[in-house]
Amino acid sequence: MDLDAYADVHRERWAELDRLARRHPSSGADVDRLVAGYQAAATDLARIRAAAPRSATGDRLSLTLHRARLRFTGTPADPLTVLTRFFALQLPAALYRIRWVTVWVAVATVLVASITAVWIASTPGAVATFGTDAALRQYATRDFVDYYSDHGLGAFTAQVWTNNAYIAASMVAFGITGLFVPYAIMQNAVSLGVSASIMHSQGRLGDFFLYIAPHGQLELYSIFLAGGAGLMIAWSWIAPGARTRAQALAEDGRALITVAIGLVLTLLLSGVVEATVTRQEWPWPVKIGIGTVALALVLAYQWVLGGRAYRAGERGDLDEFDRGAAAIIAG
């Protein structure tokens, strides 16, 4: 079949169907024409697909048919179904896609933080550049510990949550630049290293790890996830593979921006742990254990549920017709 010739013969009828599908029918005659045009175009699409399974002509006609079908059979998606699909398939699949990048972000953060802390602690006079002896002593013995109990539970949770969620969302949103995520990761790692070195200089390094461990496991991993998503979005246009750069950026951007929504929830959980668990006079193994369980739940969601969704073909992107037709690419 000559697709160009076939399209020329039927283009006017397809255009009429598309016009009818784009507006609400105003009369019974319009409905009859819509149904008749749909039936004829469906037959045309079957013939086109038999000759060429994927073609620009077939994709355009398929989209017109979908739009027409919604006029007489379509119903809005059930919100509960949409939410279930998002949290059971789209979000875990998107998190699964960035699993290894997340690991490398974590490794980079630990390395930079460790190098920073060791360098400051081993360099004479380096710690003194961050404040006087009295200020450093107050930071290590009072400010660092009292930070977790100076504010009310609700206000402290909201403060921690909004601050961390803003940082995570920024890393995902500005990941396209390719520069913002490395800068944010470096800044976060250096801050950790500086805090650890100050605590060490005052003989309170143990408190540094104890007070961070309950909530910090999930909080830091959430930041690592944000960095992984941002880097993957940047990589989509740097190395798009067989796709065009615009197509790769659109597909991966849509899929991975969902990670920001998931991070709002993981950081909320981390903030609750930080506000309600870290300040308690419970044994440290209990407090750290609660933080470990929270992290384990997120890891299972990402690696187990996400792996299952990914192997089933889910990538975190929208459905075919929600995201629109894709350009045909050779190869």
Side-chain angles (χ1 to χ4, degrees), residues 99-117:
R99 62 196 186 282
W100 293 117
V101 184
T102 302
V103 171
W104 283 113
V105 171
V107 171
T109 300
V110 171
L111 284 176
V112 172
S114 299
I115 292 172
T116 301

Side-chain angles (χ1 to χ4, degrees), residues 186-251:
M186 181 69 69
Q187 186 180 50
N188 185 55
V190 169
S191 296
L192 287 172
V194 170
S195 294
S197 65
I198 294 175
M199 296 295 287
H200 176 266
S201 70
Q202 301 299 317
R204 305 296 292 270
L205 186 60
D207 287 346
F208 173 80
F209 289 108
L210 286 176
Y211 277 88
I212 284 181
H215 68 277
Q217 298 176 71
L218 182 53
E219 181 181 287
L220 287 173
Y221 192 73
S222 297
I223 299 300
F224 300 155
L225 286 170
L231 290 175
M232 284 286 286
I233 292 175
W235 191 249
S236 68
W237 65 265
I238 294 174
R243 302 171 296 178
T244 65
R245 281 186 167 80
Q247 182 180 347
L249 184 58
E251 292 176 358

Side-chain angles (χ1 to χ4, degrees), residues 14-15 18 23-24 29 33 61 63 79 83 102 125 131 134 144 182 198 231 241 248 251 267 294 310 320 322:
W14 296 343
D18 190 65
R23 59 183 174 85
H24 291 286
R33 287 199 299 273
L61 183 56
L63 186 59
L83 286 175
T102 302
F144 187 85
I198 294 175
L231 290 175
E251 292 176 358
L267 287 169
Y310 185 87
E320 178 181 2
D322 288 333

Side-chain angles (χ1 to χ4, degrees), residues 93-306:
L95 290 171
Y96 185 79
R97 288 180 59 187
I98 62 173
R99 62 196 186 282
W100 293 117
V101 184
T102 302
V103 171
W104 283 113
V105 171
V107 171
T109 300
V110 171
L111 284 176
V112 172
S114 299
I115 292 172
T116 301
V118 171
W119 180 80
I120 294 175
S122 61
T123 302
V127 176
T129 61
F130 297 101
T132 63
D133 290 340
L136 295 176
R137 189 178 307 109
Q138 179 174 332
Y139 173 83
T141 58
R142 294 187 57 187
D143 295 348
F144 187 85
V145 174
D146 292 345
Y147 167 77
Y148 298 98
S149 56
D150 278 347
H151 306 281
L153 190 151
F156 186 64
T157 301
Q159 176 187 344
V160 171
W161 178 37
T162 53
N163 179 65
N164 289 334
Y166 173 77
I167 294 173
S170 298
M171 293 177 72
V172 178
F174 296 114
I176 187 175
T177 63
L179 299 175
F180 183 81
V181 172
Y183 168 77
I185 292 171
M186 181 69 69
Q187 186 180 50
N188 185 55
V190 169
S191 296
L192 287 172
V194 170
S195 294
S197 65
I198 294 175
M199 296 295 287
H200 176 266
S201 70
Q202 301 299 317
R204 305 296 292 270
L205 186 60
D207 287 346
F208 173 80
F209 289 108
L210 286 176
Y211 277 88
I212 284 181
H215 68 277
Q217 298 176 71
L218 182 53
E219 181 181 287
L220 287 173
Y221 192 73
S222 297
I223 299 300
F224 300 155
L225 286 170
L231 290 175
M232 284 286 286
I233 292 175
W235 191 249
S236 68
W237 65 265
I238 294 174
R243 302 171 296 178
T244 65
R245 281 186 167 80
Q247 182 180 347
L249 184 58
E251 292 176 358
D252 292 342
R254 284 193 306 264
L256 296 176
I257 200 65
T258 60
V259 172
I261 300 175
L263 293 178
V264 170
L265 301 178
T266 62
L267 287 169
L268 174 60
L269 177 58
S270 171
V272 170
V273 172
E274 184 171 359
T276 62
V277 175
T278 305
R279 66 173 65 192
Q280 301 299 328
E281 297 296 331
W282 300 339
W284 281 109
V286 173
K287 294 195 286 188
I288 295 174
I290 292 174
T292 301
V293 169
L295 175 61
L297 291 174
V298 173
L299 289 173
Y301 183 79
Q302 177 188 18
W303 291 77
V304 179
L305 186 60

Side-chain angles (χ1 to χ4, degrees), residues 5-84:
Y6 191 83
D8 287 339
V9 172
H10 298 91
R11 183 171 286 113
E12 185 175 345
R13 177 159 53 80
W14 296 343
E16 174 65 17
L17 175 63
D18 190 65
R19 284 193 296 271
L20 290 170
R22 289 179 181 273
R23 59 183 174 85
H24 291 286
S26 59
S27 65
D30 284 345
V31 175
D32 291 340
R33 287 199 299 273
L34 179 65
V35 173
Y38 174 84
Q39 293 172 334
T43 301
D44 294 336
L45 180 61
R47 292 172 178 168
I48 292 173
R49 289 281 169 83
R54 290 300 305 272
S55 66
T57 299
D59 284 353
R60 283 194 296 269
L61 183 56
S62 177
L63 186 59
T64 297
L65 284 168
H66 173 71
R67 187 178 292 118
R69 185 167 61 249
L70 289 179
R71 284 299 176 198
F72 54 86
T73 65
T75 57
D78 177 17
L80 182 59
T81 300
V82 173
L83 286 175
T84 300

